[in-house]
Amino acid sequence: MKIIVGTRGSNLALTQTNMVIDIIKKAHPNVECEVKIIKTKGDIIKDLPIDKIGGKEIFTKEIERELLDGTIDMAVHSMKDMPGELPKGLKLSFTPEREDYRDVLVLRKGINSIDDIPLGGKIGTGSKRRKYQILKCRPDLEIVGIRGNIETRIKKIEEENLDGVILAAAGINRLGLNLGERVVHLDKDIVLPSPTQGILAIEIRENDNRLDNILKSISHTKTEIQGKVERAFLKGVGGSCHIPVGAYCEVVGDKIYLEGLLGTMDGEVLIRRYIEGNLDSLEDIGYVLAKDMVKEMNKA
Ligand SMILES: NCc1[nH]cc(CCC(=O)O)c1CC(=O)O
């Protein structure tokens, strides 16, 4: 059997795709995989903030078109870049273990912690979720909008004379970047991550049972649960790139604990709420917390 795997062309996207192919091949040595790089709108328009180009679909639409057309069989994405709703005819299949879910500060050489950043220091991020949360902890900082792939954003520390940038730990770890002391992990109590940060999404055609069965062997149960709950939260808030949205789900035995973050476009309101549930109500938990928080925001 041969699987044609679609992916964006960034270093991170290719690394993630090859990781998934390696896991598949270990479990199914007879399966042959071919990688097809697909450019998305988000890759082509490089100089605009994401929320000026469109929603999350700017990184997925062209790839999903090829899945539906049958020119590829499977796509590997970062789950956090996926819109809440998938096009008709496609679904997410099983997923391997989550990487570190946290955000990190990559700091300029010589700065070793968030408290070390000079008063009024400059931090780069294009994410409202990251911006308003870091400002809660250090209101004096100046947040500079930046875009580009991970390597580009790290280079901007020198190029744009920043004190640091905020990135996902998962991207840095998967790329194997060795930034040593320059990386400070941000506890989720300070910066709640994006829903499903660090989780991979493997998208296939809804009726492709054969591929679904192959992917079952790479499944990581706790990650599947976290992905379902956090994506339900994203769907519940109508997740866009225009407002700050965060979520993290912890699984302990048959209990799940979900924290959510939601704010207004201008960051004036930023609320963080919590819900507990059981394994038999995964999507409900995410949805209920999201709807309660949206209601509360509309009253504020
Ligand atoms: N928005 C881009 C993006 N999409 C996925 C990751 C990292 C990997 C992941 O979170 O799974 C990143 C980089 C970042 O946010 O720093």
Side-chain angles (χ1 to χ4, degrees):
M1 184 186 179
K2 181 164 168 182
I3 307 170
I4 304 179
V5 189
T7 172
R8 293 172 53 205
S10 74
N11 218 344
L12 178 64
L14 285 172
T15 304
Q16 292 182 160
T17 298
N18 286 323
M19 284 173 46
V20 170
I21 290 176
D22 284 350
I23 313 178
I24 293 175
K25 286 198 143 178
K26 234 175 231 153
H28 303 272
N30 296 326
V31 170
E32 202 190 316
C33 294
E34 179 187 315
V35 175
K36 178 167 185 197
I37 295 176
I38 300 165
K39 265 198 162 95
T40 66
K41 197 170 173 185
D43 298 311
I44 294 166
I45 309 176
K46 288 193 172 127
D47 46 1
L48 280 178
I50 288 167
D51 58 359
K52 298 274 186 311
I53 310 173
K56 289 190 178 234
E57 77 292 340
I58 65 167
F59 291 117
T60 54
K61 206 169 161 199
E62 291 81 358
I63 299 176
E64 292 176 329
R65 183 71 258 158
E66 296 221 16
L67 264 177
L68 288 166
D69 288 346
T71 45
I72 61 170
D73 303 305
M74 159 180 141
V76 180
H77 314 267
S78 295
M79 196 181 275
K80 77 163 181 176
D81 295 337
M82 304 285 292
E85 304 289 342
L86 303 186
K88 218 170 140 46
L90 300 181
K91 69 169 178 185
L92 296 187
S93 185
F94 299 93
T95 190
E97 187 169 5
R98 188 178 209 167
E99 242 294 347
D100 193 332
Y101 62 83
R102 290 172 295 178
D103 284 301
V104 298
L105 262 170
V106 179
L107 294 164
R108 179 160 60 81
K109 283 191 195 82
I111 305 182
N112 297 315
S113 73
I114 189 165
D115 297 328
D116 262 6
I117 304 170
L119 199 74
K122 280 196 221 167
I123 298 295
T125 177
S127 144
K128 291 184 173 161
R129 175 186 63 80
R130 287 171 176 157
K131 173 177 174 175
Y132 298 132
Q133 290 190 100
I134 205 80
L135 282 175
K136 278 234 154 171
C137 149
R138 281 287 307 265
D140 60 292
L141 295 177
E142 181 187 339
I143 307 299
V144 180
I146 56 165
R147 260 206 67 197
N149 65 38
I150 295 173
E151 301 91 324
T152 308
R153 285 189 258 173
I154 293 171
K155 272 197 221 123
K156 289 199 173 170
I157 299 175
E158 262 74 55
E159 288 172 7
E160 305 202 7
N161 201 15
L162 306 174
D163 293 293
V165 295
I166 308 177
L167 295 170
I172 290 173
N173 293 350
R174 289 213 177 99
L175 286 178
L177 300 180
N178 195 354
L179 297 162
E181 307 258 285
R182 296 178 61 196
V183 173
V184 172
H185 290 83
L186 297 165
D187 194 279
K188 71 171 165 42
D189 294 333
I190 296 175
V191 179
L192 197 65
S194 171
T196 73
Q197 183 158 297
I199 303 182
L200 297 180
I202 304 181
E203 196 176 19
I204 63 173
R205 283 180 291 279
E206 204 161 41
N207 59 9
D208 197 342
N209 296 328
R210 209 168 145 198
L211 194 44
D212 208 27
N213 259 322
I214 287 178
L215 289 166
K216 199 177 260 177
S217 61
I218 73 170
S219 170
H220 185 261
T221 307
K222 182 178 158 188
T223 302
E224 308 280 358
I225 296 167
Q226 293 176 313
K228 285 203 172 93
V229 175
E230 293 169 27
R231 265 181 71 72
F233 180 81
L234 179 73
K235 277 181 229 176
V237 298
S240 78
C241 295
H242 308 268
I243 53 166
V245 179
Y248 180 70
C249 166
E250 192 47 84
V251 186
V252 183
D254 63 355
K255 284 228 156 258
I256 54 178
Y257 304 87
L258 175 67
E259 276 190 276
L261 173 100
L262 192 57
T264 48
M265 237 158 76
D266 59 7
E268 282 293 311
V269 185
L270 194 65
I271 62 173
R272 204 176 150 140
R273 299 289 177 264
Y274 170 83
I275 193 170
E276 283 184 32
N278 294 307
L279 286 184
D280 53 19
S281 55
L282 296 183
E283 270 97 349
D284 290 350
I285 291 298
Y287 215 68
V288 167
L289 182 64
K291 289 301 171 201
D292 285 351
M293 289 179 72
V294 168
K295 224 190 269 165
E296 186 179 341
M297 291 276 300
N298 289 338
K299 275 192 232 147

